[in-house]
Amino acid sequence: MSDTYQIDEAEAPQTEVLPLDAWHRARGGRMVEFAGYWMPVQYEGILAEHLWTRDSAGLFDVSHMGQLFVSGEHVEAALEAVLPIDLETLKPFAPRYSMLLNEDGGILDDLMVTRWNSGFYLVVNGATKWDDIGHLREHLPDEVTLSHLDDNALLALQGPKAAAALERLVTGEFPLSALTFMKGGQFKLAGVDAWISRSGYTGEDGFEIAIPAENAAEIADQLCAQPEVKPIGLGARDSLRLEAGLPLYGHDLSEKISPVEADLLFAVNPRRRREGGFIGAARVLAELANGTPRKRIGLALEGRQAAREGAEIFAGDQVVGVVTSGGFSPSLNHPIAMGYVAQAHAAIGTELSIDVRGKRLPARAVSMPFVPHRYHR
C-alpha cells in the first residue's frame, strides 16, 4: 500500500466530503484523506480486496476525479493546442489517454478525453483538477467553454465478472456487451442516466460509470447487491494499478517528467510527433530525436521486503535511479516497483539493487505490466 494513504482523519480537517462518504462509513470503510477528500482506504483488508477484484468484481468510488466538458467554436483545434493528441483520429464515444504538459514538456496531469456529440469530455486527476481547470482556462480561447461537471459522481467497476454484474442493471440503445475496451455510450443504469465506458485503472476488464451525484448511493447499493461485487478501497486500487504497470500522477509522473521519459509515447500521436504544435512540444520532439537520460522501468525484487517511493536504485555502488512506486504484489507473491533509471541501466534483465533502510535488496529490470492486462478487446 502506498504511503500516500497513511494520514489520520484528525490531521486533515479541511478535506471535502464526496457523495458516497456516508455510504462508505456505513459499510465499515476506513476513511483517510486523499487528494483533499475523505475516501475509503479499505473495508475488509487490502489483500482480500485486491484478490477479490482480480477474481470477481470490485466497486471503486473515484468521484474525486474531475469531470470536465469542453465545447464551443473550433474546440478541436483549441484542445489540440494544449494536448498532444490527434483529435482527427478520435472516434465518437471512444475514450483515449492523453496528458496536459507545461511549456517545458513536463507532465501537469494525465487524463482521459472522449469525443461527445457537442464537445469533449475529460476526466482528470482529483489532486490536480483545480490546477488543470486553471491551466485550460488560461490557454483555451474565449469562444471555447469549459464546464466542470461537479454534480456528477464517478464509479469504477473492475474485474473479470464486472460485465456480468453490470449487464443485469443496464438498458440502452445497444447492449452493454457491444462495448469493447476504450469504447463508451449513454445507458440507463437501474433507471438512472449514466455514461459508461469500458475502461479502468486495474488492468482488468471493467467499466467507469458517470452518474448524477444524487443517485450515487442508490446505484452503489444496486451494484453491490450483485453477488460478484464488493466495495474496494484505495489501498487495493493502488496495488492493482501497480501490478498493471500503470503510473500514478504525483508519484510516477510529475511536471519535471516528460512523456518520453515516462515511456508514454502512445499518448503523443504520430502526427503530433511530426508536427508538434502543442504546449511542451519542443522538449518532446527533441527527446524523440536525441533520446533521454532516464526512463521509467519495472523492477522485480527478491524476497518479501518491498521498496517504497524514494528508495535509491543502484548499479553496483553507483546510484542510477529512484523508485517512484513500490509494494508487495498479491498476485505474484513478491515485491515489485517502478522507477526511473539512467538509460544505460534500463534494459530488460539488468541486475540492480535497491536501498531499503540501509540494506541493498537485489532487483531486476523487467517489462510491464507485471500482471498481464485482461481488457475486453
Side-chain angles (χ1 to χ4, degrees):
M1 188 177 93
S2 169
D3 293 338
T4 302
Y5 312 119
Q6 302 302 307
I7 299 175
D8 184 78
E9 187 162 335
E11 297 176 1
Q14 302 304 314
T15 51
E16 297 185 43
V17 174
L18 292 168
L20 285 176
D21 185 87
W23 189 92
H24 296 306
R25 295 176 190 273
R27 282 153 187 78
R30 185 164 76 82
M31 306 298 283
V32 299
E33 189 275 343
F34 178 70
Y37 298 94
W38 290 121
M39 299 183 70
V41 68
Q42 63 181 44
Y43 294 87
E44 58 184 283
I46 293 171
L47 176 62
E49 293 169 30
H50 179 112
L51 296 175
W52 179 271
T53 304
R54 287 276 183 247
D55 292 337
S56 192
L59 181 66
F60 301 81
D61 178 14
V62 289
S63 299
H64 64 299
M65 306 286 277
Q67 298 182 63
L68 313 177
F69 186 65
V70 186
S71 60
E73 189 177 358
H74 307 305
V75 63
E76 187 165 312
L79 267 184
E80 280 202 346
V82 295
L83 302 177
I85 191 172
D86 182 356
L87 290 174
E88 293 178 1
T89 65
L90 184 61
K91 296 179 179 179
F93 312 117
R96 188 181 293 171
Y97 181 80
S98 190
M99 53 189 65
L100 288 173
L101 305 179
N102 60 24
E103 296 288 351
D104 294 326
I107 302 170
L108 295 174
D109 198 12
D110 60 340
L111 55 91
M112 301 295 291
V113 56
T114 308
R115 184 191 296 275
W116 283 359
N117 287 330
S118 56
F120 293 89
Y121 170 66
L122 278 61
V123 179
V124 302
N125 281 298
T128 58
K129 68 182 176 185
W130 297 113
D131 289 337
D132 291 353
I133 289 170
H135 180 83
L136 287 165
R137 286 184 170 152
E138 178 184 354
H139 290 97
L140 292 173
D142 292 342
E143 61 267 23
V144 169
T145 300
L146 173 63
S147 302
H148 181 201
L149 308 181
D150 54 358
D151 55 353
N152 272 4
L154 189 65
L155 306 177
L157 186 66
Q158 300 283 292
K161 299 180 183 178
L166 186 58
E167 203 162 22
R168 299 185 195 110
L169 302 174
V170 165
T171 58
E173 293 183 6
F174 52 86
L176 186 73
S177 59
L179 294 184
T180 54
F181 180 58
M182 298 298 271
K183 298 291 189 297
Q186 297 288 347
F187 294 87
K188 290 283 188 180
L189 172 54
V192 174
D193 288 331
W195 160 256
I196 301 176
S197 63
R198 201 156 195 168
S199 56
Y201 194 47
T202 62
E204 295 290 338
D205 183 24
F207 304 86
E208 293 196 336
I209 304 163
I211 50 175
E214 63 186 8
N215 300 114
E218 166 195 353
I219 295 299
D221 279 340
Q222 291 270 6
L223 289 168
C224 285
Q226 308 307 307
E228 302 91 344
V229 181
K230 289 183 179 181
I232 307 295
L234 284 174
R237 178 174 163 86
D238 192 45
S239 57
L240 289 159
R241 70 91 192 168
L242 178 57
E243 287 186 345
L246 300 174
L248 175 63
Y249 192 82
H251 300 261
D252 313 295
L253 306 176
S254 76
E255 62 184 30
K256 295 183 179 179
I257 295 169
S258 76
V260 186
E261 292 176 311
D263 198 25
L264 295 174
L265 267 179
F266 69 89
V268 184
N269 299 115
R271 177 173 68 83
R272 309 311 304 280
R273 296 181 210 173
R274 294 191 304 270
E275 299 175 3
F278 55 89
I279 296 172
R283 176 181 176 184
V284 172
L285 271 58
E287 289 181 347
L288 282 170
N290 305 316
T292 63
R294 61 179 179 171
K295 180 184 177 183
R296 182 173 65 96
I297 65 166
L299 296 154
L301 286 75
E302 298 179 10
R304 309 282 293 179
Q305 191 172 2
R308 301 295 184 181
E309 180 179 0
E312 292 181 326
I313 303 169
F314 285 79
D317 292 327
Q318 180 186 7
V319 177
V320 296
V322 64
V323 170
T324 52
S325 287
F328 191 85
S329 166
S331 302
L332 300 175
N333 203 34
H334 66 73
I336 57 175
M338 68 173 73
Y340 287 83
V341 298
Q343 281 283 6
H345 305 280
I348 301 303
T350 301
E351 297 295 333
L352 301 162
S353 63
I354 302 175
D355 186 289
V356 178
R357 299 187 182 93
K359 180 182 178 182
R360 297 279 186 86
L361 303 182
R364 179 170 44 89
V366 297
S367 60
M368 294 186 286
F370 301 96
V371 173
H373 294 163
R374 296 197 289 182
Y375 302 133
H376 181 73
R377 297 188 184 275

